[in-house]
Amino acid sequence: MTVWDDLQGQPAVVDQLRQASSGEGLTHAWLFTGPPGSGRSNAAKAFAAALNCDQEDVNLRGCGQCHACLTILGETHSDVTFVRTEKVTITIDEARDLVATAGNRPSAGRWRIIVVEDADRMAERTTNVLLKAIEEPTPRTVWMLCAPSPADVLVTIRSRCRSVALRLPPAADVAELLVKRDGVDPAVAERAARAAQSHVGIARRLARDPAARERRLETVRFPLGLRGITAAVMMADKLVKIATAEANSSNEERDAAEKAALLATLGAPESGTLPPAMRAQVKQLEDDQKRRAKRSITDSLDRTLTDLMSFYRDVLIIQMGNAVELVNAELRGELEEFASRSTPEVTLARMDAINKARERITTTNVAPLLAIESMAASLIQPSKETR
């Protein structure tokens, strides 16, 4: 199994990166773009592994079996730095640390590689800190920036990078990956890939976690019973609770593991009061975890609203003549009945209301519950709504 096998449905990208890793068209800065779930960070990681692969034969680099490939895929290689943030932005101090790291010669591999998975979460002032290092890198340094689209990165940066554009893979390819790599039942894999709308990470979570599948189905079915303002308020409250539960389920275990690892590193006593210096470091960790939790809930809410959007997307497809496969095919009967009582114009207006709620939650300080209550009120289905 090579490092390229996880890039399901991206043959053009794999060809481009294979050629570059063999020395053809290699440059010092790369920009990986694509919608969430397209695998842009996985592509950057695979490329980093291929560049530093232990294989001498350039055609075999990216073998996925050697020490370099395994440590890079596991994010423990000394010459490859991965940068991601669950806060709102990458700070300017973090950017300065990256520049300092990029100036070091590789200690074990061919290349010193910096992978910035959230390049779109840098303010202009922060990005400018990286500009000179990317413009005039040290001879053995490669920068890899990841963002949803080229427009999310300053033009001064993207003009100095070679572009790698990824697309969402077909659902069938995602399902095949889940079956081959994770041993998921084919029927479950197909349903998870379709429900995730080809987002590989979300598809894997849905395939592995029956509770996550149930929470998603509950979200998608909400419009079927949405009549009256009371139902709208109850739906908004439930949506926030579902998103919060989804975020907390992934945060709690990680938070506890991080705290235990920090205490072990500090040599903290097993019982009793911690010394002041240790207390300060533990508090810093807890503060970071709180910020991460807030961001996780925002991201989870956005994903929950995306799931809700899939209901109206399917309704619109039915109203327009079933030209595309439904995301929620198992609900076809209910979707068709719902679609028959409305028009495409009304459905588009409801989809616009959901998009406005997503924008308010992710870009402003509005209370999520208020934003979703306002959205839910605009989704209420009149009892005599007809075509």
Side-chain angles (χ1 to χ4, degrees), residues 87-235:
K87 298 178 289 186
V88 175
T89 60
I90 295 173
T91 67
I92 195 165
D93 288 338
E94 289 171 324
R96 287 176 178 138
D97 289 342
L98 287 182
V99 172
T101 300
N104 297 330
R105 291 181 59 83
S107 60
R110 299 180 189 86
W111 302 96
R112 168 74 58 185
I113 301 172
I114 311 293
V115 181
V116 183
E117 295 188 7
D118 302 298
D120 55 311
R121 291 192 184 179
M122 289 190 290
E124 181 175 351
R125 181 165 169 257
T126 304
T127 307
N128 284 333
V129 171
L130 302 182
L131 181 58
K132 188 171 180 60
I134 292 176
E135 192 174 33
E136 300 175 7
T138 50
R140 307 304 296 176
T141 298
V142 176
W143 288 84
M144 301 183 189
L145 310 182
C146 305
S149 74
D152 292 313
V153 179
L154 283 180
V155 64
T156 50
I157 292 288
R158 67 174 183 260
S159 65
R160 289 159 175 80
C161 297
R162 179 157 298 170
S163 177
V164 180
L166 290 91
R167 61 186 180 93
L168 279 176
D173 288 348
V174 176
E176 182 183 347
L177 179 64
L178 295 176
V179 172
K180 283 176 21 182
R181 188 175 63 184
D182 301 301
V184 176
D185 176 79
V188 174
E190 186 275 332
R191 182 174 175 181
R194 184 165 33 81
Q197 299 179 65
S198 295
H199 189 300
V200 177
I202 293 173
R204 181 176 294 111
R205 178 173 55 79
L206 290 174
R208 291 175 170 176
D209 186 354
R213 295 199 294 273
E214 286 302 314
R215 286 194 293 268
R216 182 193 177 278
L217 183 60
E218 184 179 5
T219 297
V220 172
R221 290 177 60 87
F222 269 128
L224 296 172
L226 189 57
R227 289 184 173 85
I229 194 65
T230 300
V233 171
M234 292 176 64
M235 169 183 148

Side-chain angles (χ1 to χ4, degrees), residues 260-271:
L262 175 62
L263 292 174
T265 301
L266 296 175
E270 295 184 5
S271 60

Side-chain angles (χ1 to χ4, degrees), residues 263-283:
L263 292 174
T265 301
L266 296 175
E270 295 184 5
S271 60
T273 304
L274 292 175
M278 290 186 183
R279 286 203 302 270
Q281 293 190 57
V282 170
K283 179 152 189 329

Side-chain angles (χ1 to χ4, degrees), residues 327-361:
V327 171
N328 305 289
E330 60 277 5
L331 300 179
R332 175 175 282 277
E334 293 164 295
L335 288 163
E336 288 178 342
E337 195 276 333
F338 189 96
S340 70
R341 291 188 276 111
S342 181
T343 66
E345 291 78 12
V346 170
T347 302
L348 285 169
R350 288 169 173 164
M351 295 173 74
D352 185 55
I354 295 173
N355 276 327
K356 285 180 180 176
R358 291 179 63 195
E359 183 177 357
R360 292 178 70 192
I361 289 169

